[in-house]
Amino acid sequence: VQLQASGGGLVQAGGSLRLSCAASGSISSINAMAWYRPAPGKERDLVAYIMRDGSTKYADSVKDRFVISSDNDKNTVYLQMNSLKPADTAVYYCMMLLIPEGEKDADDYWGRGTQVTVSS
């Protein structure tokens, strides 16, 4: 199973970007999908997650600006980022808690990350 993230880039403050992350390989089920980014003192800090039932949670710093969504048929998670700030500049990593075909237990899989740079 591999995760491929895309959609990062350079944008001015106040602008928008949409990140995508698609999982490929033989997957039995995906329990949760999430986006992370580094934070002071943390290698990776949660930005947002979405559960299989559609429930979501956001970090306080992005609430009301970012929207996480998923296309379960395509094994893809999205992060719509609006009203971007220079403080949002980071490498964004996608993560999926999933069960590969033929296995019983879920494990977390990570994408390589996509760079988001917000200029002031």
Side-chain angles (χ1 to χ4, degrees):
V1 175
Q2 291 187 330
L3 272 59
Q4 181 66 49
S6 61
L10 173 64
V11 65
Q12 288 189 328
S16 298
L17 281 175
R18 188 191 195 208
L19 306 183
S20 300
C21 177
S24 60
S26 298
I27 298 170
S28 177
S29 66
I30 301 176
N31 296 344
M33 303 176 177
W35 290 94
Y36 285 77
R37 67 188 183 188
K42 292 184 178 182
E43 183 177 351
R44 293 178 185 181
D45 198 29
L46 179 70
V47 175
Y49 73 68
I50 183 167
M51 303 298 289
R52 186 164 57 181
D53 64 3
S55 58
T56 59
K57 182 175 180 178
Y58 297 89
D60 288 342
S61 60
V62 307
K63 205 173 293 184
D64 299 326
R65 297 189 299 121
F66 290 10
V67 179
I68 189 170
S69 62
S70 65
D71 184 334
N72 294 331
D73 291 337
K74 295 182 179 179
N75 293 336
T76 300
V77 61
Y78 306 96
L79 186 67
Q80 177 66 43
M81 304 186 294
N82 303 318
S83 302
L84 281 161
K85 306 174 181 179
D88 295 317
T89 295
V91 177
Y92 285 71
Y93 298 91
C94 59
M95 186 281 289
M96 296 189 188
L97 183 65
L98 60 86
I99 304 175
E101 280 190 8
E103 298 192 16
K104 294 182 180 179
D105 298 323
D107 202 355
D108 53 307
Y109 289 75
W110 293 84
R112 283 192 176 182
T114 183
Q115 176 70 47
V116 171
T117 303
V118 184
S119 63
S120 56

